[in-house]
Amino acid sequence: MELRIAGIVPESVVDGPGIRFVVFVQGCPHHCPGCHNPDTHDFNGGEVAQVSDLVAQIKALPPVRGVTISGGEPFCQGQACSTLAHEVKKLGKDVIVYSGYTYEQLREMAVGDHHIQALLSATEILIDGPFLQEQRDLNLPFRGSANQRLIKPGEEGFF
């Protein structure tokens, strides 16, 4: 299965707890002013990666605690991202997903798209909401603006 990506970071300590393998997907409809990754907005940019190749790279990095799927907008490639997330979980690693959509929007979208539901079900922590320049706060863990939330999907728990 193919996934259009902007790039990867094999070992990051700023995109969630522990050492994380980060996949930056390509393509985002939100175009948030002040976005940290504006080069990921173009749906035709980046490169195509095979999910199986990404999983092999993750498997070869034992110190990696989990995978962070960021963007771009991961839910615009729900099928490939949910496949990646479920394969990561089979390796015993956790999954964090960033989205410019709110959790409530994603739950509504999941009613008509089982890939979105599958990605939510494989996600330990969802960091939701658009980046809002006027709420920018560099002191927040793993978030860029105060409106963004850390959520445990399914448990509807907020951190």
Side-chain angles (χ1 to χ4, degrees), residues 49-129:
Q50 295 296 320
V51 169
S52 59
D53 292 341
L54 294 171
V55 172
Q57 291 179 57
I58 296 162
K59 192 174 183 177
L61 295 169
V64 168
R65 170 183 166 167
V67 171
T68 298
I69 306 173
S70 187
E73 175 52 60
F75 287 93
C76 287
Q77 298 186 71
Q79 183 176 10
C81 287
S82 68
T83 299
L84 173 63
H86 284 276
E87 291 300 316
V88 166
K89 295 192 64 87
K90 287 179 186 175
L91 298 175
K93 301 184 184 299
D94 61 38
V95 175
I96 293 176
V97 178
Y98 283 79
S99 177
Y101 293 110
T102 65
Y103 181 51
E104 292 78 9
Q105 289 173 314
L106 290 169
R107 287 184 57 177
E108 287 180 22
M109 293 164 61
V111 171
D113 187 331
H114 70 275
H115 300 300
I116 290 175
Q117 180 58 47
L119 180 54
L120 284 172
S121 72
T123 301
E124 271 79 19
I125 299 174
L126 172 71
I127 300 169
D128 82 332

